[in-house]
Amino acid sequence: MKNAAIYQLFFLSLCLGLFSSCSESTQTSGGIWDETQNTLAVRIRLASGEPAVAAKVRLVTETAIVEDSAVADESGIARLKRPSQDGFIEVQEKSGVARNRVLAGDSLLTDTLKKPASLQGKLVVQTAMPRRLFLFGTSYAAEVSESGAFRFENIPDGEYAVLSEGESEYVFWETLVANGNAAAETELAEPSPDSVLVEDFERSVATNRFAALTGASWWFTSSDSLSHVEPESITDALVRSPESFETSQSAHYTFVVDTTLADAFALCGFDIGVSFWQDSTTSYDMSQTDSVSFYIRGSGHVVMQFAGLNEAGEVESWDFEFDIPSSTEWVRVAVPPSGNETWEKIKSRMRMITFLSTRNMDLWLDKIVFHGVSAQDLFRDLLGR
């Protein structure tokens, strides 16, 4: 099997944008509010469409630094300094809240207020209890009681990475979803210093558990022109049934590969963080990784590909091949990448992991874990203080 040729075909399809993923943005530019082009005008509307007079507006960097703040005038417009880097606009008003991404150089943004949401839960720790928690990329913070209880109030709907302060970095606890309904209390276990759960498929979204940190981390599928993966979207592949792992929600894909085509392939996989089409240089340090484990069942031959950048910035992949052990029983597989020559070249600059096959395959997946590495190791640039 020509693994190099298969991966090159896969990577070419990535660069050409043949994967589908979803994002949304409401910002537009034009500078119509300020002739000097030095300000950002944020137009705030109530749900009724009326101006949100006296709404409080903050410009927050991606590292949660409040760069500027203002109060909306009688037209519902707040004027802030024009952002020099990507970040977020946070809005609070007595009838609602909003949060929206803003890009460096934007001059106009429109936000509509929505019903406030909340997040509440309890920390379970074996060491010292954190005094405060933070939501990554926001100015939102919550005090932690002696018993570990916490509550974030008056925040917009959305998915948030919950952090605490460590000695030299922020510690990633969990990704939680806030909505306008009554908030259920979530129990958060103290993060392990040497392993991190990447995916358990319980969130029913198209990204892995790092998405609230990276703004990306997409799951995707791809194939040659005659083959295909069913279903294409990870959200359609999620199954909760007696066949799932421990009756939780698991991913189930069917690979249909046309072997009459040279180098035929089909695959599913995920970006650790940003996709190559978003940023061709950002990578993630997995050099301390002992193994990558997951639970699997089904039938077929898997080529698990670890793709990263070498010192020259070129994409290389290390392949680990195995037959799925059982079609009926869930089996834990642990892949130890250390020591392989290609892995050694790319381990500190990892980009994505894929599950590829060159023939038909029935694939069930669950509980993907990186061992020997923490979220702080992977995302040191994001979580460093």
Side-chain angles (χ1 to χ4, degrees):
M1 183 177 63
K2 302 176 182 177
N3 288 340
I6 291 172
Y7 183 77
Q8 288 170 3
L9 177 60
F10 158 56
F11 186 68
L12 176 61
S13 68
L14 185 153
C15 294
L16 292 176
L18 299 182
F19 298 151
S20 61
S21 59
C22 299
S23 63
E24 64 179 59
S25 174
T26 60
Q27 64 262 359
T28 58
S29 60
I32 61 174
W33 301 103
D34 188 87
E35 293 181 358
T36 65
Q37 296 286 297
N38 289 325
T39 64
L40 167 67
V42 183
R43 182 168 50 193
I44 313 299
R45 293 289 180 262
L46 303 174
S48 64
E50 296 297 311
V53 180
K56 298 178 181 178
V57 183
R58 293 185 294 269
L59 173 61
V60 183
T61 69
E62 289 186 322
T63 54
I65 297 173
V66 178
E67 281 201 324
D68 200 7
S69 61
V71 176
D73 61 21
E74 60 185 17
S75 299
I77 297 173
R79 292 178 171 83
L80 304 126
K81 73 175 185 178
R82 197 169 186 180
S84 59
Q85 57 182 298
D86 295 352
F88 296 90
I89 291 295
E90 298 175 354
V91 184
Q92 286 189 319
E93 199 263 353
K94 60 183 179 180
S95 64
V97 294
R99 180 173 180 263
N100 210 334
R101 177 168 286 278
V102 63
L103 304 180
D106 278 350
S107 58
L108 172 64
L109 182 73
T110 299
D111 255 331
T112 300
L113 297 179
K114 298 180 180 179
K115 179 182 177 180
S118 62
L119 283 176
Q120 62 182 352
K122 183 177 182 179
L123 305 185
V124 179
V125 302
Q126 302 297 321
T127 57
M129 181 71 72
R131 290 185 294 179
R132 300 181 79 198
L133 293 179
F134 307 87
L135 301 182
F136 177 78
T138 79
S139 65
Y140 311 136
E143 301 295 325
V144 180
S145 72
E146 292 183 0
S147 65
F150 66 89
R151 182 179 177 87
F152 292 91
E153 295 185 286
N154 296 320
I155 61 176
D157 284 4
E159 190 172 61
Y160 296 96
V162 180
L163 312 177
S164 65
E165 286 183 299
E167 292 184 3
S168 60
E169 59 200 0
Y170 289 98
V171 177
F172 172 70
W173 281 72
E174 182 61 273
T175 294
L176 297 179
V177 177
N179 57 55
N181 300 323
E185 184 170 297
T186 304
E187 192 171 273
L188 302 185
E190 188 171 10
S192 169
D194 58 3
S195 69
V196 58
L197 175 65
V198 181
E199 186 62 272
D200 59 5
F201 302 110
E202 291 299 318
R203 292 162 46 251
S204 300
V205 295
T207 54
N208 70 40
R209 292 177 70 257
F210 300 145
L213 286 174
T214 66
S217 302
W218 298 102
W219 275 89
F220 52 80
T221 60
S222 185
S223 68
D224 63 75
S225 59
L226 299 181
S227 304
H228 63 278
V229 179
E230 299 175 356
E232 292 185 358
S233 169
I234 183 66
T235 55
D236 294 328
L238 300 178
V239 178
R240 190 184 302 275
S241 74
E243 295 180 295
S244 303
F245 178 70
E246 296 181 344
T247 66
S248 64
Q249 189 159 263
S250 304
H252 181 209
Y253 285 109
T254 300
F255 291 33
V256 181
V257 180
D258 189 332
T259 55
T260 63
L261 183 69
D263 294 329
F265 78 98
L267 62 82
C268 67
F270 62 90
D271 296 305
I272 296 171
V274 297
S275 301
F276 196 90
W277 57 268
Q278 294 175 295
D279 180 346
S280 62
T281 60
T282 298
S283 58
Y284 305 94
D285 188 0
M286 291 182 63
S287 58
Q288 301 302 312
T289 303
D290 298 325
S291 63
V292 176
S293 72
F294 48 90
Y295 285 87
I296 192 169
R297 62 178 285 258
S299 61
H301 185 77
V302 180
V303 182
M304 189 174 180
Q305 297 186 315
F306 296 77
L309 306 176
N310 61 25
E311 290 186 356
E314 302 165 333
V315 177
E316 292 194 43
S317 72
W318 172 65
D319 299 351
F320 179 83
E321 300 189 36
F322 64 97
D323 291 322
I324 299 177
S326 174
S327 61
T328 58
E329 301 293 329
W330 283 93
V331 178
R332 182 177 180 270
V333 174
V335 180
S338 59
N340 175 271
E341 181 178 350
T342 303
W343 170 261
E344 293 301 319
K345 290 193 294 183
I346 64 175
K347 64 182 182 181
S348 62
R349 294 174 292 274
M350 289 297 300
R351 296 298 304 256
M352 69 185 77
I353 294 175
T354 60
F355 299 84
L356 177 148
S357 185
T358 58
R359 46 188 182 267
N360 292 348
M361 182 168 69
D362 183 50
L363 177 68
W364 291 76
L365 281 175
D366 213 332
K367 298 292 187 297
I368 302 172
V369 179
F370 293 169
H371 300 275
V373 66
S374 67
Q376 291 72 252
D377 297 322
L378 287 170
F379 305 107
R380 199 165 299 281
D381 289 346
L382 297 175
L383 298 178
R385 291 175 58 192

